[in-house]
Amino acid sequence: MTPQRLFVLIAAVAGIAFTFISPAFRVPDEVTHFWRPVSIAYGTLVPRMTARGGEAPVPMGYRTLVWIAGRGYDAQGKVNREDLRIVPRVNLEKEKTSIVPFVASYTPVPYAPQIVAALIGRAFDLRPPWVFYLGRLLNLAAFIALVAWAIRVTPVVPWAFCAIGLFPMSLYLAASWSPDAMTIACAMVATALAFRGARVAEPLFAFLLALCKPGYGHIAFIALPKKRWAPMTAAVLGTALSLWWLSKVPMAGVGTQWTCIKADPLRALGVLARDLTGNAWLYFEEAVGRLGMLDVFLPTFVIWAELILLVVLVVTSGERLGWRERVMAMLIFVTAVLFIDLSMYVSWTTPCADRVEGIQGRYFLPVLVLPLAALANPSWKWRKAGWPLVAMVAITANVLGVIAVWLRFY
């Protein structure tokens, strides 16, 4: 079986299961990521910026949905069956509006599938619960389509693309309103096209990825050794636009934190180094599958199985990649990791703190395939036994993920 077909099959089944088993708004930051596409669909492309982020009006029914879904849990955090039965009956109430706050640091690009769902809901006056699950399904469909395409076009480590795309966390995010799903998918496509080269698609996805999150746009610089300037130029332009958008978002404490860094840069570097070395296993565990509100744990053996699988795929990949591309891929990975750590230290951490706050393992998923490609062994390709191993680990991990979510919330 090809990695593309295996990915689509497992991702569709597990993703649909996560879509309907995961309770509403029990994915990290799903509430704020729900408000943003809905507000765009109802005419607010650029929200009003306040000290707490962006805000915009939405029909009252959407606010009611979030309120009912948020209260519908008992003391143990289990879903309240009575409130669960009320949710499908929430009306749109489009004649009334409510101002809702949300994180506005993303451009609209990573919300594309959710915006389509909200536009369909507006066009047909659908009830908010229908729009909610339509948004989850469209986000999942877009994720599967893009990652499957990346697996198909990449000239190196396609099974590694497949394995990362099938992480329980990857599919859990895809089956939600999280913009991380489109960011991960666009990063995989941009990486695959950067390794392969494509006259039109490569610069297009370099641009789109930079608009998803500026910290990943430089993936396009894999093209530097072969002097393909178009994708790198597109990435620079997209990053500039994304940073311009980000500059409009109020961020308390950023100036104070930069003052602390400039006063003692070596101390700041030490903080970043200790964070990355001390929390490496935690971040990998979260990237594989710390589900729910990061409170649904997979068995430890699943995390080890995924790690061993990636090592095996690297050792037996059989693909040849020039040494310049290998060096560039590893350099991009390292700089992306440092950028993630530094950005969270500057924007989310208490000024002058001796730790980094707010980092979650899912932030590393868009670049995780890069070191695997850089270290790929060209001498031995495991042609026959590769797909059963990937299938076994992916199916086991996602079945246990679905069970863990069910036991946690029901």
Side-chain angles (χ1 to χ4, degrees):
M1 180 177 288
T2 65
Q4 184 184 20
R5 291 179 180 177
L6 182 69
F7 169 77
V8 171
L9 178 62
I10 297 177
V13 175
I16 291 173
F18 280 130
T19 296
F20 295 104
I21 290 177
S22 173
F25 311 115
R26 282 303 180 265
V27 178
D29 303 321
E30 191 173 25
V31 171
T32 188
H33 296 315
F34 180 63
W35 295 138
R36 181 73 187 286
V38 170
S39 69
I40 292 174
Y42 280 87
T44 308
L45 181 62
V46 180
R48 190 171 74 90
M49 298 299 181
T50 68
R52 57 179 183 174
E55 64 178 26
V58 299
M60 183 61 72
Y62 287 98
R63 183 102 192 208
T64 303
L65 172 64
V66 172
W67 180 73
I68 293 176
R71 76 174 189 182
Y73 300 89
D74 60 21
Q76 288 73 43
K78 302 288 186 180
V79 171
N80 185 316
R81 303 302 176 107
E82 294 183 2
D83 284 329
L84 189 63
R85 286 191 288 269
I86 296 173
V87 166
R89 299 198 295 270
V90 173
N91 292 315
L92 179 59
E93 298 182 83
K94 65 178 182 179
E95 67 281 357
K96 304 177 185 177
T97 60
S98 176
I99 302 296
V100 294
F102 47 78
V103 174
S105 53
Y106 295 89
T107 71
V109 171
Y111 294 109
Q114 301 94 309
I115 293 171
V116 172
L119 285 171
I120 293 173
R122 179 180 180 179
F124 295 97
D125 287 340
L126 298 180
R127 293 187 177 192
W130 289 91
V131 176
F132 175 78
Y133 284 104
L134 179 61
R136 279 188 167 187
L137 289 172
L138 290 183
N139 204 24
L140 174 64
F143 175 83
I144 292 175
L146 288 173
V147 175
W149 185 35
I151 294 170
R152 180 181 178 182
V153 301
T154 181
V156 293
V157 291
W159 284 111
F161 278 82
C162 179
I164 295 170
L166 291 175
F167 277 0
M169 177 56 85
S170 299
L171 296 179
Y172 195 71
L173 293 170
S176 76
W177 282 64
S178 174
D180 289 333
M182 285 299 292
T183 303
I184 295 167
C186 285
M188 287 192 171
V189 173
T191 302
L193 292 172
F195 284 132
R196 180 181 179 178
R199 183 170 297 178
V200 177
E202 186 181 3
L204 173 61
F205 275 89
F207 183 72
L208 291 176
L209 175 59
L211 288 177
C212 287
K213 270 192 179 179
Y216 305 123
H218 66 303
I219 284 176
F221 279 76
I222 293 172
L224 182 61
K226 295 186 178 180
K227 299 180 180 179
R228 297 196 304 273
W229 305 113
M232 292 184 285
T233 303
V236 171
L237 291 174
T239 300
L241 283 174
S242 193
L243 290 174
W244 171 81
W245 180 281
L246 192 61
S247 69
K248 304 297 181 181
V249 181
M251 292 186 182
V254 171
T256 305
Q257 191 70 285
W258 276 118
T259 301
C260 295
I261 293 173
K262 288 185 289 185
D264 193 349
L266 291 180
R267 175 185 172 278
L269 286 175
V271 171
L272 300 183
R274 287 193 300 273
D275 175 72
L276 292 173
T277 55
N279 295 315
W281 177 255
L282 170 65
Y283 294 152
F284 182 73
E285 180 185 6
E286 290 179 347
V288 171
R290 185 76 73 82
L291 308 179
M293 302 298 284
L294 304 182
D295 58 352
V296 179
F297 296 79
L298 294 180
T300 303
F301 78 84
V302 171
I303 313 302
W304 277 106
E306 294 283 13
L307 178 60
I308 293 170
L309 173 64
L310 294 181
V311 172
V312 170
L313 293 177
V314 167
V315 172
T316 63
S317 63
E319 279 90 23
R320 295 184 179 276
L321 191 66
W323 70 268
R324 291 182 178 86
E325 286 81 8
R326 290 175 183 266
V327 171
M328 187 59 64
M330 187 60 75
L331 182 61
I332 290 170
F333 171 73
V334 171
T335 54
V337 169
L338 291 175
F339 178 85
I340 292 168
D341 214 39
L342 178 61
S343 64
M344 298 305 294
Y345 185 59
V346 170
S347 60
W348 284 96
T349 303
T350 304
C352 302
D354 57 358
R355 65 191 183 282
V356 180
E357 301 169 353
I359 291 185
Q360 297 177 24
R362 69 180 190 271
Y363 301 158
F364 302 105
L365 284 172
V367 294
L368 186 55
V369 75
L370 290 173
L372 306 181
L375 299 173
N377 174 30
S379 61
W380 181 27
K381 187 168 184 176
W382 197 359
R383 296 182 182 275
K384 295 183 178 180
W387 80 262
L389 182 61
V390 174
M392 179 180 65
V393 173
I395 292 172
T396 301
N398 283 287
V399 167
L400 291 176
V402 170
I403 293 173
V405 172
W406 178 268
L407 294 177
R408 167 63 181 84
F409 293 110
Y410 298 95

